[in-house]
Amino acid sequence: MGLTRLRKQRNPDEFPTTQLFLLAVVRLAEPIALTSIFPYAWAFIKRLQIGNPEDASFYAGLLISSFSLAEAMMGMYWGGLSDRIGRKPVLLLGCVGTMLSMVLVGCASNIWVAVAGRVLGGLLNGNIGVIQTMVGELVTKPEHEPKAYSVMPFVWSIGTIIGPAIGGTFADPHESFPHLFPTGSLFEKLPYLLPNLICAGMLFVSILLGYFLLEETHPDMQPRVSLPDDTFLSENTPLIETSDALKRPAVDIRDENYGTMRARNGNKLKGWPAKSLGKRPAFSIFSKRIMAVIISLSIFTYHSMTFDHLLPIFFEDDHVPLSALGAHFSPFYSPGGLGLSLQAVGMVMAIQGMIALFMQAVVFPLMAERVGVYRLFMMITIFHPITYLIVPFLLYVPQALLYPAIYFVLGVRNFFSILLYPLLLILIKEATPSSSVLGKVNGFAASAGAACRMIAPPVAGYLYAMGKKMDCTAIAWYGSAFVAIIGAIQCFSVQRDRSRETDGESGQKQSSSYGYDESTDEE
């Protein structure tokens, strides 16, 4: 048997631009597919005539959340499976599941088929946790983390531009483009098939690109080829070479340190005994530190999802003239919404995505570098409730200033939500005691987040429907603000990584995902 080594030697000190770009391309189609339903979900439910028309927002929430329900049930399973069989096959399977889901929803003629399609997509989709794991394995230098962890939210923001634009533009094409889709055509009978077919086509392209170009990131499942003939060999040379063997003489298996994990500066990682080859300590993914961060992620996911669900409903709901509102100015008097068209809602949500891109590409890296991950996390979480408290007052804005006011509100919202998500991803990676459980931890986080995304739409939709009957649709927004306040209190339980800050000052930082920290295990 000849020596083997990694097919490609990637310098761990360099930023993994190429692989992150390929991962982003594969990732892009999914947010497009998932957000394309937002502009027309309410109209879709009203067309199906489910229950009382006034409760359409509640049923739309159930339709959207059914995907997250199934995803929450399977998130940890897919994360654990990726630890065993690799990240890439699980990622591609998730894309296939989402593609099938889109086709089934587009062909739905009743609520049960639509829900079945969403559930199928959720059951097969573990991509959120897997992608977070792949980013964590690609990035090994802490100073690269803010930039790297902003890539996938940046891609999600691009998807939130394209997805709602596709959903809002191509939903019910017979109504919008009667000369292209005449009476009696397939798209008149299935008015929401076209946007789903477009998204499914994008997913198919991403599957092909991922299959042929994306590399496996699992450290134990890298492709290998033979070493060059001039590599130094001896009877004590191991069959599988250790890290950086081409840069150093072949190792000696008689060395007492052979087989131990090492940091990149040559020192053994904390907590791993010198002669523990084949034995690794058991790690708990339910430590206090991990659970605190995941609870923060869950709370944020809940109130962020309520915003995404309520916004198009609030935009499309019947508008009460400002003259009628003036005599009843009160934070608890807010009948209806803004009365925008479906196409206008799609474009507003697309512009929201552009605002999110700016926040992700420009604002986040600067603030993370200057303020610091932990301090920025605390600041954003504490002031996040402001986002939801200002939305209902759009009803009192004059028509001439309505769109500038909408974009101001969206700017405030994206400043908080777009900055907070990558901060939480970095904190999860820091809290993970070993790369051997990174997939499971991220799968657990994905399941927790999916569970909150499942609960958020129907609860927010119910509050909106109840508020509409009381002429106080603002109650739904105030409910989201209340949850955000709980998150502002809970964030103080998230522990600060003092060792990371100390190492950062000495220039010897190491990612906690690649070493075992005894203090973490004690928690």
Side-chain angles (χ1 to χ4, degrees):
M1 181 183 295
L3 287 178
T4 58
R5 68 170 173 85
L6 294 183
R7 179 177 299 169
K8 289 187 178 181
Q9 293 287 334
R10 182 175 62 83
N11 188 349
D13 293 329
E14 294 180 353
F15 188 79
T17 304
T18 303
Q19 279 302 298
L20 281 177
F21 173 76
L22 290 171
L23 187 60
V25 171
V26 175
R27 173 66 165 159
L28 177 61
E30 188 176 12
I32 293 175
L34 295 180
T35 60
S36 64
I37 194 175
F38 287 170
Y40 64 81
W42 191 51
F44 183 29
I45 293 298
K46 294 178 71 174
R47 186 184 184 93
L48 294 178
Q49 298 180 344
I50 305 298
N52 192 324
E54 294 183 353
D55 296 328
S57 59
F58 172 71
Y59 291 110
L62 290 178
L63 175 62
I64 293 174
S65 66
S66 58
F67 180 95
S68 298
L69 169 62
E71 189 180 26
M73 295 169 58
M74 297 295 291
M76 186 179 293
Y77 169 78
W78 292 121
L81 184 64
S82 74
D83 286 333
R84 298 192 299 273
I85 69 171
R87 320 301 183 195
K88 183 175 175 178
V90 176
L91 176 65
L92 295 180
L93 180 61
C95 292
V96 171
T98 304
M99 182 178 68
L100 295 177
S101 171
M102 300 301 297
V103 175
L104 197 56
V105 171
C107 295
S109 57
N110 60 70
I111 185 64
W112 301 114
V113 175
V115 169
R118 298 283 291 177
V119 169
L120 175 65
L123 289 174
L124 296 178
N125 193 308
N127 286 4
I128 295 178
V130 173
I131 286 176
Q132 292 173 9
T133 304
M134 294 179 77
V135 173
E137 290 170 339
L138 287 169
V139 180
T140 57
K141 293 180 71 66
E143 55 264 37
H144 290 163
E145 287 178 351
K147 182 179 179 182
Y149 275 100
S150 67
V151 171
M152 295 308 140
F154 182 83
V155 170
W156 182 273
S157 298
I158 295 178
T160 60
I161 297 174
I162 303 173
I166 291 176
T169 303
F170 296 103
D172 199 359
H174 170 67
E175 185 71 23
S176 303
F177 312 103
H179 56 292
L180 296 176
F181 304 94
T183 302
S185 65
L186 175 65
F187 295 105
E188 183 200 11
K189 298 176 182 177
L190 300 174
Y192 304 106
L193 175 60
L194 183 58
N196 284 280
L197 286 179
I198 294 173
C199 294
M202 292 181 176
L203 280 162
F204 181 71
V205 173
S206 72
I207 292 169
L208 293 178
L209 291 174
Y211 181 80
F212 289 107
L213 300 177
L214 191 64
E215 296 179 1
E216 175 61 62
T217 64
H218 195 295
D220 297 332
M221 300 178 185
Q222 302 294 328
R224 299 178 181 274
V225 296
S226 297
L227 281 173
D229 295 334
D230 58 354
T231 302
F232 173 77
L233 301 176
S234 76
E235 67 274 12
N236 293 320
T237 303
L239 295 179
I240 298 179
E241 58 98 5
T242 55
S243 164
D244 292 335
L246 296 181
K247 301 177 183 178
R248 304 193 303 267
V251 298
D252 190 339
I253 60 175
R254 294 170 296 186
D255 186 348
E256 68 173 0
N257 292 325
Y258 172 69
T260 62
M261 295 183 66
R262 294 175 180 267
R264 287 181 175 78
N265 60 4
N267 297 323
K268 288 183 294 182
L269 289 179
K270 181 179 180 181
W272 287 86
K275 297 183 179 180
S276 61
L277 184 60
K279 291 184 178 180
R280 294 184 179 181
F283 299 105
S284 172
I285 67 171
F286 301 105
S287 66
K288 292 180 181 179
R289 185 177 176 190
I290 293 176
M291 290 302 298
V293 182
I294 290 180
I295 290 173
S296 287
L297 174 67
S298 301
I299 294 174
F300 162 70
T301 302
Y302 176 88
H303 60 72
S304 179
M305 188 63 184
T306 62
F307 188 98
D308 291 334
H309 175 62
L310 290 173
L311 193 67
I313 296 174
F314 180 67
F315 282 168
E316 296 172 32
D317 200 2
D318 296 335
H319 179 58
V320 175
L322 186 61
S323 57
L325 291 171
H328 302 86
F329 180 80
S330 168
F332 298 102
Y333 180 72
S334 50
L338 301 182
L340 304 182
S341 67
L342 188 64
Q343 286 71 28
V345 171
M347 291 310 300
V348 168
M349 294 183 71
I351 293 175
Q352 175 187 218
M354 297 176 65
I355 297 172
L357 283 179
F358 174 78
M359 296 294 178
Q360 196 71 69
V362 179
V363 178
F364 173 73
L366 291 176
M367 294 201 67
E369 180 180 356
R370 296 182 180 181
V371 180
V373 171
Y374 182 81
R375 285 190 294 270
L376 185 58
F377 160 73
M378 296 293 292
M379 181 183 73
I380 294 295
T381 306
I382 290 171
F383 290 102
H384 212 128
I386 296 174
T387 301
Y388 308 99
L389 296 175
I390 62 177
V391 176
F393 293 96
L394 289 173
L395 290 173
Y396 295 91
V397 176
Q399 190 65 31
L401 300 175
L402 179 60
Y403 280 97
I406 288 175
Y407 296 134
F408 170 78
V409 169
L410 294 180
V412 173
R413 190 265 171 154
N414 281 281
F415 174 80
F416 288 112
S417 64
I418 295 301
L419 269 62
L420 184 54
Y421 184 64
L423 294 173
L424 286 164
L425 299 185
I426 294 173
L427 292 173
I428 288 175
K429 179 181 176 181
E430 290 179 356
T432 303
S434 169
S435 60
S436 64
V437 293
L438 186 58
K440 185 174 290 187
V441 170
N442 280 318
F444 178 40
S447 291
C452 292
R453 286 195 300 273
M454 169 197 70
I455 299 171
V459 171
Y462 174 78
L463 289 176
Y464 191 91
M466 183 177 68
K468 188 172 176 63
K469 297 175 182 178
M470 302 164 49
D471 286 338
C472 184
T473 55
I475 192 173
W477 299 106
Y478 297 155
S480 300
F482 175 74
V483 176
I485 291 172
I486 295 176
I489 298 172
Q490 187 274 336
C491 73
F492 290 95
S493 66
V494 176
Q495 296 181 17
R496 192 173 191 170
D497 191 351
R498 300 286 184 181
S499 62
R500 176 189 175 102
E501 295 176 359
T502 303
D503 291 342
E505 294 174 357
S506 63
Q508 298 178 352
K509 291 184 288 185
Q510 294 180 23
S511 172
S512 60
S513 297
Y514 294 89
Y516 172 58
D517 189 346
E518 293 173 324
S519 63
T520 304
D521 190 49
E522 290 172 359
E523 294 169 357

